[in-house]
mmCIF file of all heavy atoms in Angstrom:
data_model
loop_
_atom_site.group_PDB
_atom_site.id
_atom_site.type_symbol
_atom_site.label_atom_id
_atom_site.label_comp_id
_atom_site.label_asym_id
_atom_site.label_seq_id
_atom_site.Cartn_x
_atom_site.Cartn_y
_atom_site.Cartn_z
ATOM 1 N N VAL A 54 2.415 3.098 11.410
ATOM 2 C CA VAL A 54 1.095 3.810 11.468
ATOM 3 C C VAL A 54 0.267 3.548 12.561
ATOM 4 O O VAL A 54 -0.501 4.460 13.015
ATOM 5 C CB VAL A 54 0.482 3.618 9.980
ATOM 6 C CG1 VAL A 54 -0.248 2.308 9.862
ATOM 7 C CG2 VAL A 54 -0.453 4.688 9.589
ATOM 8 N N ARG A 55 0.312 2.262 13.084
ATOM 9 C CA ARG A 55 -0.399 2.016 14.294
ATOM 10 C C ARG A 55 0.535 1.365 15.345
ATOM 11 O O ARG A 55 1.529 0.756 14.985
ATOM 12 C CB ARG A 55 -1.605 1.025 14.030
ATOM 13 C CG ARG A 55 -2.736 1.696 13.391
ATOM 14 C CD ARG A 55 -3.789 0.740 12.814
ATOM 15 N NE ARG A 55 -3.298 0.163 11.619
ATOM 16 C CZ ARG A 55 -3.334 0.640 10.351
ATOM 17 N NH1 ARG A 55 -3.862 1.843 10.240
ATOM 18 N NH2 ARG A 55 -2.849 0.025 9.305
ATOM 19 N N TYR A 168 -4.256 12.526 13.184
ATOM 20 C CA TYR A 168 -3.978 11.240 13.827
ATOM 21 C C TYR A 168 -2.764 10.527 13.226
ATOM 22 O O TYR A 168 -2.314 9.482 13.787
ATOM 23 C CB TYR A 168 -5.223 10.297 13.609
ATOM 24 C CG TYR A 168 -5.669 10.143 12.148
ATOM 25 C CD1 TYR A 168 -4.977 9.431 11.203
ATOM 26 C CD2 TYR A 168 -6.638 10.986 11.660
ATOM 27 C CE1 TYR A 168 -5.282 9.382 9.961
ATOM 28 C CE2 TYR A 168 -7.006 11.024 10.335
ATOM 29 C CZ TYR A 168 -6.337 10.274 9.491
ATOM 30 O OH TYR A 168 -6.652 10.161 8.098
ATOM 31 N N GLN A 206 1.257 8.566 -1.255
ATOM 32 C CA GLN A 206 0.246 8.724 -0.079
ATOM 33 C C GLN A 206 -0.954 9.627 -0.513
ATOM 34 O O GLN A 206 -2.047 9.463 0.041
ATOM 35 C CB GLN A 206 0.963 9.510 1.127
ATOM 36 C CG GLN A 206 1.978 8.626 1.819
ATOM 37 C CD GLN A 206 1.431 7.393 2.403
ATOM 38 O OE1 GLN A 206 0.268 7.118 2.426
ATOM 39 N NE2 GLN A 206 2.366 6.504 2.840
ATOM 40 N N THR A 241 -2.835 6.342 -3.203
ATOM 41 C CA THR A 241 -4.217 6.651 -2.724
ATOM 42 C C THR A 241 -4.660 8.011 -3.114
ATOM 43 O O THR A 241 -3.850 8.947 -3.290
ATOM 44 C CB THR A 241 -4.091 6.522 -1.155
ATOM 45 O OG1 THR A 241 -3.780 5.305 -0.693
ATOM 46 C CG2 THR A 241 -5.394 6.924 -0.491
ATOM 47 N N PRO A 268 -10.045 7.205 0.699
ATOM 48 C CA PRO A 268 -10.251 7.037 2.189
ATOM 49 C C PRO A 268 -11.285 8.123 2.673
ATOM 50 O O PRO A 268 -11.060 9.267 2.579
ATOM 51 C CB PRO A 268 -8.883 7.222 2.741
ATOM 52 C CG PRO A 268 -7.941 6.708 1.730
ATOM 53 C CD PRO A 268 -8.689 7.234 0.456
ATOM 54 N N GLN A 270 -12.308 7.918 6.179
ATOM 55 C CA GLN A 270 -11.854 8.067 7.547
ATOM 56 C C GLN A 270 -12.937 8.226 8.602
ATOM 57 O O GLN A 270 -12.910 7.620 9.640
ATOM 58 C CB GLN A 270 -10.797 9.222 7.777
ATOM 59 C CG GLN A 270 -9.689 9.285 6.718
ATOM 60 C CD GLN A 270 -8.792 8.027 6.687
ATOM 61 O OE1 GLN A 270 -8.986 7.060 7.451
ATOM 62 N NE2 GLN A 270 -7.690 7.983 5.976
ATOM 63 N N ARG A 282 -9.090 16.718 7.771
ATOM 64 C CA ARG A 282 -9.168 16.052 6.508
ATOM 65 C C ARG A 282 -9.385 17.018 5.350
ATOM 66 O O ARG A 282 -9.252 16.740 4.175
ATOM 67 C CB ARG A 282 -10.193 14.938 6.576
ATOM 68 C CG ARG A 282 -9.780 13.728 7.309
ATOM 69 C CD ARG A 282 -8.589 12.989 6.652
ATOM 70 N NE ARG A 282 -9.071 12.258 5.460
ATOM 71 C CZ ARG A 282 -8.205 11.619 4.632
ATOM 72 N NH1 ARG A 282 -6.989 11.454 4.954
ATOM 73 N NH2 ARG A 282 -8.669 10.914 3.600
ATOM 74 N N ASP A 308 -10.814 3.675 3.431
ATOM 75 C CA ASP A 308 -10.309 3.407 4.780
ATOM 76 C C ASP A 308 -11.129 4.170 5.739
ATOM 77 O O ASP A 308 -11.592 5.333 5.534
ATOM 78 C CB ASP A 308 -8.859 3.937 4.867
ATOM 79 C CG ASP A 308 -7.840 3.335 4.042
ATOM 80 O OD1 ASP A 308 -8.158 2.186 3.416
ATOM 81 O OD2 ASP A 308 -6.683 3.809 3.972
ATOM 82 N N ILE A 310 -11.499 4.952 10.166
ATOM 83 C CA ILE A 310 -11.023 4.838 11.525
ATOM 84 C C ILE A 310 -12.164 4.942 12.479
ATOM 85 O O ILE A 310 -12.892 5.988 12.357
ATOM 86 C CB ILE A 310 -9.986 6.046 11.824
ATOM 87 C CG1 ILE A 310 -8.760 5.876 10.821
ATOM 88 C CG2 ILE A 310 -9.544 5.888 13.259
ATOM 89 C CD1 ILE A 310 -7.819 7.092 10.934
ATOM 90 N N PHE A 339 -10.123 0.567 10.738
ATOM 91 C CA PHE A 339 -9.097 0.600 11.804
ATOM 92 C C PHE A 339 -9.653 1.066 13.062
ATOM 93 O O PHE A 339 -10.526 1.971 13.097
ATOM 94 C CB PHE A 339 -7.913 1.420 11.385
ATOM 95 C CG PHE A 339 -7.398 1.052 10.024
ATOM 96 C CD1 PHE A 339 -7.645 1.730 8.957
ATOM 97 C CD2 PHE A 339 -6.612 -0.073 9.871
ATOM 98 C CE1 PHE A 339 -7.104 1.445 7.749
ATOM 99 C CE2 PHE A 339 -5.979 -0.436 8.600
ATOM 100 C CZ PHE A 339 -6.336 0.321 7.506
ATOM 101 N N SER A 340 -9.102 0.676 14.172
ATOM 102 C CA SER A 340 -9.384 1.171 15.469
ATOM 103 C C SER A 340 -8.430 2.302 15.729
ATOM 104 O O SER A 340 -7.194 2.147 15.410
ATOM 105 C CB SER A 340 -9.255 0.134 16.555
ATOM 106 O OG SER A 340 -9.406 0.596 17.811
ATOM 107 N N TYR A 341 -8.751 3.520 16.136
ATOM 108 C CA TYR A 341 -7.864 4.606 16.239
ATOM 109 C C TYR A 341 -6.662 4.324 17.233
ATOM 110 O O TYR A 341 -6.912 3.682 18.236
ATOM 111 C CB TYR A 341 -8.549 5.829 16.838
ATOM 112 C CG TYR A 341 -7.605 6.910 17.291
ATOM 113 C CD1 TYR A 341 -6.846 7.621 16.343
ATOM 114 C CD2 TYR A 341 -7.331 7.188 18.599
ATOM 115 C CE1 TYR A 341 -5.914 8.599 16.757
ATOM 116 C CE2 TYR A 341 -6.396 8.084 19.042
ATOM 117 C CZ TYR A 341 -5.667 8.833 18.161
ATOM 118 O OH TYR A 341 -4.712 9.748 18.518
ATOM 119 N N SER A 342 -5.442 4.502 16.742
ATOM 120 C CA SER A 342 -4.302 4.173 17.477
ATOM 121 C C SER A 342 -3.583 5.533 17.842
ATOM 122 O O SER A 342 -3.273 6.317 16.894
ATOM 123 C CB SER A 342 -3.443 3.224 16.666
ATOM 124 O OG SER A 342 -2.125 3.050 17.297
ATOM 125 N N ARG A 344 -0.871 7.945 18.307
ATOM 126 C CA ARG A 344 0.541 8.042 17.919
ATOM 127 C C ARG A 344 1.172 9.259 18.482
ATOM 128 O O ARG A 344 0.804 10.395 18.165
ATOM 129 C CB ARG A 344 0.686 8.078 16.393
ATOM 130 C CG ARG A 344 0.025 6.919 15.611
ATOM 131 C CD ARG A 344 0.422 5.588 16.090
ATOM 132 N NE ARG A 344 1.770 5.073 15.775
ATOM 133 C CZ ARG A 344 2.669 4.616 16.639
ATOM 134 N NH1 ARG A 344 2.325 4.626 17.990
ATOM 135 N NH2 ARG A 344 3.823 4.248 16.220
HETATM 136 N N1 SAH B 1 -2.277 8.263 2.541
HETATM 137 C C1 SAH B 1 -3.432 7.491 2.748
HETATM 138 C C2 SAH B 1 -3.254 6.350 3.701
HETATM 139 C C3 SAH B 1 -2.190 6.314 4.751
HETATM 140 S S1 SAH B 1 -2.167 5.230 5.993
HETATM 141 C C4 SAH B 1 -4.521 8.404 2.968
HETATM 142 O O1 SAH B 1 -4.364 9.582 3.164
HETATM 143 O O2 SAH B 1 -5.571 7.946 3.018
HETATM 144 C C5 SAH B 1 -3.437 4.114 5.672
HETATM 145 C C6 SAH B 1 -4.597 4.198 6.639
HETATM 146 O O3 SAH B 1 -4.192 3.905 7.961
HETATM 147 C C7 SAH B 1 -5.278 5.585 6.636
HETATM 148 O O4 SAH B 1 -6.069 5.816 5.559
HETATM 149 C C8 SAH B 1 -6.066 5.513 7.950
HETATM 150 O O5 SAH B 1 -7.299 5.035 7.758
HETATM 151 C C9 SAH B 1 -5.171 4.566 8.881
HETATM 152 N N2 SAH B 1 -4.485 5.261 9.962
HETATM 153 C C10 SAH B 1 -3.532 6.194 9.786
HETATM 154 N N3 SAH B 1 -3.191 6.636 11.021
HETATM 155 C C11 SAH B 1 -3.939 5.874 12.008
HETATM 156 C C12 SAH B 1 -4.031 5.869 13.346
HETATM 157 N N4 SAH B 1 -3.320 6.699 14.125
HETATM 158 N N5 SAH B 1 -4.917 5.018 13.948
HETATM 159 C C13 SAH B 1 -5.666 4.226 13.145
HETATM 160 N N6 SAH B 1 -5.601 4.163 11.888
HETATM 161 C C14 SAH B 1 -4.722 5.004 11.131
#
Side-chain angles (χ1 to χ4, degrees):
V54 79
R55 284 167 288 275
Y168 50 81
Q206 293 297 352
T241 295
Q270 311 299 5
R282 287 291 288 179
D308 293 351
I310 300 174
F339 307 104
S340 176
Y341 168 70
S342 170
R344 306 308 287 126

